[in-house]
Amino acid sequence: MVKVTLNVAGMTCGHCVKAVEGSVGELAGVSKVQVHLETGTVDVEYRTDEVTVEQIKEAIDDQGYDVK
């Protein structure tokens, strides 16, 4: 299991939290997703043999947020 913290711009409310946590949480290999609105970060725990950090970033981007 690997843990990564991504900087994500544009998240401002509860809907943003649900959108990001829902889309990333549905990816195979992701065991935990936690959005922190106050810092603009997303913590993700995942298995590198099932999903890549690029796929996680793409899932966030698909929700309309900018991963830095």
Side-chain angles (χ1 to χ4, degrees):
M1 204 62 70
V2 174
K3 183 176 180 180
V4 66
T5 299
L6 302 171
N7 293 311
V8 181
M11 300 183 302
T12 59
C13 64
H15 172 75
C16 302
V17 172
K18 288 181 183 180
V20 171
E21 289 182 349
S23 65
V24 174
E26 290 177 355
L27 296 172
V30 172
S31 61
K32 184 177 178 184
V33 183
Q34 188 169 16
V35 172
H36 305 278
L37 288 178
E38 62 280 354
T39 58
T41 59
V42 179
D43 294 331
V44 184
E45 288 184 22
Y46 66 100
R47 295 176 50 98
T48 57
D49 60 338
E50 293 185 52
V51 66
T52 67
V53 72
E54 290 305 318
Q55 290 171 308
I56 294 168
K57 289 178 180 180
E58 184 176 315
I60 295 170
D61 186 62
D62 287 349
Q63 294 300 312
Y65 305 102
D66 184 29
V67 182
K68 301 193 178 218

